[in-house]
Amino acid sequence: MFRWFESCHNSIDKLVEMQHYGLPTRLLDVTTNPLIALYFACESTNADGRVLYIKQKPVPGDLANLIATLCEFYKSNIYEHHSLSTFLKILKEHNLFQEDEDYKVRFLFEYITKSFLYVHPYINERMKAQKGAFVFSAFMQPFLKDTKYNKLLKRMKRSKVTGEELDSISFDKTSVSFQFEKKHFIIRKDDKKRILKELDLIGINEAFVYPEPEHQMRTVKERVVMSNMTKEQFYS
């Protein structure tokens, strides 16, 4: 099994590979192609579906890797005080804080408590076909008593915040949660079969979305069935 991770160069690579093989991670699969999202919303035809729309600029890979490294190396029972300097220490130990430190501190301070969008280089044909991306769940949350956190976060965008101020805030590890403001479109279950047929006409079908051989063969089989149907039967 460990050979699956031989091509991984850093923590975010490992996290994406774990997600691909079905292991639990802090990642949620999404797509940058709205037609692929529509296909997924229609895949199960026994209930209404939803297409969620998230408007956010993806973060660069090196910054996503900072959070992934914390997820990999952070041990909650080692540190009594979960402060920003604790996280920086972990990152420095793994040689991930060598340049642009001020920018990375700002990023770390903000994004350990927020979900963010990340687009990883495509590592397989399925990710490529699905135009796959990920929402990375928030890693930490400030303790409720630390009400100054949001004030510091706002001030950080205008001026520099001292290390003592940053270290005065404690954090606690969160469960997986995605707190994006989302717009969504309802797909009625009665419309799903028609939508799937229309998507198929432009090449978006099971064989395209899942390029593995078993899905290709199932699509071929369905084509044989369809070839023996009239147009009226196909669209009924």
Side-chain angles (χ1 to χ4, degrees):
M1 110 175 236
F2 294 106
R3 62 182 176 80
W4 297 339
F5 299 96
E6 288 178 355
S7 61
C8 298
H9 302 292
N10 51 36
S11 298
I12 193 66
D13 285 354
K14 294 176 187 175
L15 207 57
V16 169
E17 198 77 359
M18 290 168 63
Q19 178 76 2
H20 175 67
Y21 286 109
L23 293 173
T25 72
R26 302 189 76 85
L27 301 179
L28 173 68
D29 293 283
V30 295
T31 175
T32 58
N33 185 334
L35 293 177
I36 297 294
L38 183 59
Y39 175 87
F40 286 137
C42 294
E43 219 175 3
S44 174
T45 57
N46 57 3
D48 289 349
R50 288 193 301 167
V51 174
L52 302 179
Y53 169 67
I54 301 170
K55 186 178 181 181
Q56 190 185 81
K57 186 177 179 181
V59 303
D62 64 328
L63 298 184
N65 190 47
L66 294 183
I67 307 298
T69 301
L70 288 179
C71 289
E72 182 176 2
F73 294 103
Y74 180 83
K75 300 289 186 294
S76 59
N77 61 338
I78 292 179
Y79 305 101
E80 293 182 2
H81 181 54
H82 311 316
S83 66
L84 196 67
S85 64
T86 300
F87 308 141
L88 295 179
K89 180 181 177 182
I90 296 172
L91 295 175
K92 286 179 179 179
E93 285 174 356
H94 297 280
N95 298 316
L96 290 168
F97 246 79
Q98 299 169 348
E99 56 186 6
D100 299 322
E101 183 158 329
D102 186 55
Y103 175 49
K104 289 183 179 180
V105 167
R106 288 169 181 265
F107 170 86
L108 187 61
F109 184 71
E110 180 171 1
Y111 281 95
I112 58 173
T113 63
K114 289 185 178 180
S115 299
F116 58 88
L117 188 63
Y118 170 61
V119 180
H120 192 271
Y122 299 143
I123 59 175
N124 54 57
E125 288 303 311
R126 179 181 286 200
M127 279 186 67
K128 184 177 179 181
Q130 295 179 2
K131 293 294 184 287
F134 303 97
V135 173
F136 199 126
S137 171
F139 177 61
M140 287 280 169
Q141 64 180 359
F143 285 123
L144 294 177
K145 63 183 180 182
D146 294 323
T147 54
K148 56 192 173 184
Y149 175 79
N150 287 326
K151 292 180 180 178
L152 274 180
L153 190 59
K154 289 178 182 177
R155 187 154 66 81
M156 221 176 171
K157 296 176 181 179
R158 302 190 307 268
S159 61
K160 195 162 185 174
V161 175
T162 68
E164 282 119 9
E165 286 179 298
L166 292 177
D167 249 4
S168 67
I169 296 177
S170 298
F171 297 90
D172 194 17
K173 194 170 182 179
T174 69
S175 57
V176 175
S177 63
F178 305 100
Q179 67 286 72
F180 276 116
E181 182 179 340
K182 301 176 285 287
K183 296 181 180 179
H184 68 271
F185 306 92
I186 298 295
I187 310 297
R188 293 176 59 249
K189 66 178 182 179
D190 295 338
D191 295 330
K192 287 186 175 183
K193 288 185 178 180
R194 174 183 58 79
I195 292 172
L196 286 172
K197 289 172 182 176
E198 291 177 356
L199 287 171
D200 182 61
L201 293 174
I202 58 173
I204 296 179
N205 49 40
E206 181 180 353
F208 178 81
V209 174
Y210 304 104
E212 294 81 8
E214 62 269 27
H215 298 285
Q216 299 283 330
M217 295 303 103
R218 186 153 48 226
T219 301
V220 170
K221 181 178 70 175
E222 290 174 357
R223 287 284 184 275
V224 173
V225 173
M226 290 176 188
S227 67
N228 295 318
M229 298 172 67
T230 65
K231 184 177 181 182
E232 289 72 22
Q233 289 173 322
F234 177 69
Y235 283 103
S236 63

